[in-house]
Amino acid sequence: MKLSNTISIIIPTLNEAAHIGNLLKYLKANSNPKNIKEIIVVDGGSTDGTPSLAKTLGARIITSEMGRAKQMNKGAELATGHVLYFLHADTYPPKDFDLYILKAVHHNISSGCFRMKFDTSKKFLQFFAWFSRINHKLCRGGDQSLFILKDLFHKSGGFNENYIIYEDTEFIGRLYKISNFAVLPQSVITSARKYEKYGSYKLQYHFGIIHLKNLLGFGPDQLYKYYKKNIAP
């Protein structure tokens, strides 16, 4: 099977020096360089040396206004690959992720993600991660990573920059309406650091309320106000 498309990996960062180096090394070791057009790190103003560290490891560095939606849109605007792959700095895709993505695209899947697992043995988080296999927009989130054809990304309008949080979920919700979104059977491994910092039950509860508020029609400003009040930045 000939897979001629190439992937631009886009990673938004803000003070991720503790994680970006290991991720970039992992990506190169677990993919075919012929499939990866570029790895773009879009930095929102780090003060810990994230951009310089990423540059020494071969990433293309782009500076942007702070805000993941703005950062990812800017990365997509400047990307040159056929497929865009959005990835968080603390999330590791499966080995040969590039091949899985390109095979999906070859079979006319225009957008999608992987299943997700947390890097923890806590049963509570494992339980919620299990639901990432279900192909429904309520089970989606940015930690699962996201691949999308570049043409579809631009057609969709990209991430809504009014969203300071929830930008991934809002965008994927729109993709469900205009594309054949797929959940690939392999899993990314994402950090549970935020749950460890704020408490698993507390954080999952507040994320659930944010999901509910969005379903009830609350706008991006109201979602962020709730987040800022109940979850420390």
Side-chain angles (χ1 to χ4, degrees):
M1 182 187 300
K2 185 179 180 182
L3 303 174
S4 57
N5 288 329
T6 57
I7 300 171
S8 289
I9 303 174
I10 299 171
I11 307 170
T13 58
L14 180 65
N15 294 328
E16 292 287 2
H19 298 93
I20 193 65
N22 288 336
L23 176 62
L24 292 176
K25 292 173 186 175
Y26 174 90
L27 293 175
K28 291 181 179 181
N30 290 278
S31 63
N32 187 331
K34 292 181 180 179
N35 295 332
I36 308 300
K37 181 75 172 182
E38 61 202 340
I39 300 176
I40 301 174
V41 169
V42 191
D43 192 74
S46 293
T47 56
D48 66 349
T50 295
S52 58
L53 175 58
K55 186 175 182 179
T56 63
L57 291 169
R60 179 182 174 192
I61 309 302
I62 295 171
T63 56
S64 165
E65 287 184 61
M66 189 187 304
R68 273 208 307 238
K70 292 179 180 179
Q71 290 169 242
M72 291 188 288
N73 280 343
K74 190 165 185 180
E77 178 187 343
L78 299 174
T80 57
H82 304 93
V83 182
L84 308 178
Y85 183 44
F86 297 96
L87 187 66
H88 290 178
D90 61 356
T91 299
Y92 288 75
K95 179 179 171 60
D96 298 324
F97 65 91
D98 53 319
L99 197 56
Y100 297 131
I101 291 171
L102 293 179
K103 281 184 176 180
V105 169
H106 182 80
H107 287 97
N108 298 315
I109 301 297
S110 54
S111 66
C113 67
F114 291 101
R115 297 179 185 180
M116 182 190 73
K117 293 179 181 178
F118 286 107
D119 63 349
T120 179
S121 60
K122 289 183 178 178
K123 299 296 184 184
F124 179 76
L125 293 181
Q126 289 180 359
F127 170 77
F128 280 101
W130 184 92
F131 288 94
S132 66
R133 71 190 60 212
I134 299 174
N135 194 0
H136 190 284
K137 65 180 182 179
L138 288 178
C139 300
R140 302 280 70 82
D143 287 333
Q144 298 163 26
S145 71
L146 170 68
F147 67 87
I148 178 172
L149 291 175
K150 184 167 64 174
D151 290 346
L152 175 61
F153 181 88
H154 293 305
K155 178 183 176 183
S156 71
F159 293 93
N160 185 336
E161 296 184 3
N162 291 321
Y163 284 81
I164 299 176
I165 62 160
Y166 211 74
E167 73 289 331
D168 299 294
T169 310
E170 188 278 333
F171 181 41
I172 292 170
R174 283 186 278 127
L175 291 180
Y176 266 92
K177 296 177 182 178
I178 64 173
S179 70
N180 51 339
F181 194 96
V183 180
L184 304 188
Q186 300 80 21
S187 296
V188 301
I189 306 296
T190 193
S191 172
R193 57 178 169 160
K194 203 160 193 174
Y195 290 90
E196 292 167 355
K197 182 176 181 180
Y198 298 117
S200 299
Y201 297 102
K202 173 186 174 182
L203 198 58
Q204 196 63 41
Y205 169 79
H206 288 310
F207 282 156
I209 295 297
I210 289 170
H211 270 292
L212 180 61
K213 283 180 173 289
N214 179 69
L215 289 172
L216 293 173
F218 286 75
D221 291 341
Q222 292 164 304
L223 297 184
Y224 181 61
K225 185 177 180 180
Y226 179 90
Y227 177 90
K228 196 171 181 181
K229 178 182 177 182
N230 295 284
I231 305 171

